[in-house]
Amino acid sequence: MPTGKLIVLTGPSGVGKGTLLRSLLQRHRDLRVSTSVTTRSPRPGEVDGRDYYFADRQQFTRMVAENQFLEWAEFAGNCYGTPRQPVEEMLQSGNSVILEIELEGARQIQQNFPDAVRIFILPPSWEALEQRLRGRGQDDDRAISQRLARAKEEIAAAQEFSYQVTNDNLERAVAEIESILTMANSNTARS
Ligand code: ADP
Ligand code: 5GP
């Protein structure tokens, strides 16, 4: 059985990565998503094991020391990492796996998995990004400022990615990602 593709979705916080991902997963039942480990506190409504595995710093540090992460990074004062084993198992069973991760982690994936399909999600404008971050209503002012500061650095790196998709209209952006994934699959089939 051919192994699945590793797909990386990156972009500034609030750009709509999670929303795009949910839509993709609903439409493509064969796609799998990796559940990350984070030291961030759960937001209202977030469920351990579904949205994230919530861990303390000590647990996270131990997992890093034991090489349990495919990649990991610090973002806005918290650590985030992709558990290695479940992703490797899903790929080996022939499923494509999406990682929704920030820039530093995406760079690590590029180093270690050069065949990964790496997509950067851009906002239609800076104002729209700020509105989405605030409109989500889940981060306090300090967290929003940290995320906006980091967003500038992330957007400056968009050209490092093989594909850039602007999340203006959700349906249009999902369709563009779908066509990228179809193209990536047909390239694999030919090689
Ligand atoms: P991220 O996962 O990148 O941090 P989210 O998926 O949580 O972002 O989206 C942030 C906010 O933006 C949410 O309130 C979401 O409903 C909204 N949003 C996402 N995509 C769009 C879009 N295309 N147009 C308008 N609002 C959007
Ligand atoms: P949030 O706190 O908004 O859920 O996530 C903050 C940022 O961390 C987002 O850009 C998200 O994509 C990223 N992130 C989530 N999980 C991981 C992970 O496992 N690794 C890395 N490097 N970033 C992650």
Side-chain angles (χ1 to χ4, degrees):
M1 184 190 291
T3 57
K5 278 217 157 296
L6 194 56
I7 301 152
V8 176
L9 220 54
T10 302
S13 181
V15 75
K17 302 182 296 296
T19 310
L20 290 164
L21 184 55
R22 280 191 292 279
S23 176
L24 283 167
L25 291 173
Q26 267 172 11
R27 291 158 68 138
H28 300 273
R29 297 285 167 186
D30 53 329
L31 273 181
R32 297 287 179 271
V33 65
S34 160
T35 305
S36 299
V37 180
T38 183
T39 61
R40 162 166 85 57
S41 308
R43 292 179 178 137
E46 282 186 333
V47 176
D48 188 37
R50 185 191 68 187
D51 301 288
Y52 280 106
Y53 295 106
F54 295 99
D56 61 29
R57 281 262 172 182
Q58 203 181 353
Q59 289 166 321
F60 196 96
T61 307
R62 183 176 51 75
M63 291 181 79
V64 171
E66 290 173 352
N67 196 25
Q68 287 195 44
F69 290 123
L70 218 49
E71 60 72 37
W72 70 274
E74 195 150 351
F75 180 93
N78 292 297
C79 294
Y80 297 81
T82 302
R84 180 187 300 280
Q85 195 183 344
V87 173
E88 287 181 348
E89 285 172 2
M90 289 186 281
L91 290 173
Q92 274 154 20
S93 339
N95 292 108
S96 291
V97 183
I98 304 197
L99 311 183
E100 192 240 285
I101 59 177
E102 54 66 68
L103 179 63
E104 290 307 323
R107 285 176 170 154
Q108 293 169 39
I109 295 291
Q110 181 186 17
Q111 289 275 313
N112 298 326
F113 298 84
D115 292 340
V117 181
R118 294 174 320 110
I119 304 172
F120 193 93
I121 310 295
L122 285 161
S125 67
W126 183 256
E127 291 71 29
L129 179 66
E130 194 166 346
Q131 262 172 18
R132 285 180 195 175
L133 255 182
R134 294 194 190 282
R136 185 165 66 183
Q138 289 190 322
D139 299 295
D140 60 27
D141 277 351
R142 185 164 167 271
I144 288 177
S145 304
Q146 273 180 324
R147 279 155 197 265
L148 285 171
R150 181 73 177 247
K152 286 212 166 68
E153 293 168 34
E154 299 210 307
I155 290 172
Q159 296 304 323
E160 289 177 23
F161 287 70
S162 344
Y163 303 97
Q164 294 85 30
V165 172
T166 301
N167 181 19
D168 38 19
N169 170 280
L170 190 70
E171 285 300 309
R172 197 209 58 75
V174 169
E176 192 176 339
I177 296 173
E178 284 173 328
S179 69
I180 292 169
L181 299 184
T182 306
M183 196 164 53
N185 274 333
S186 62
N187 286 347
T188 309
R190 271 203 300 275
S191 60

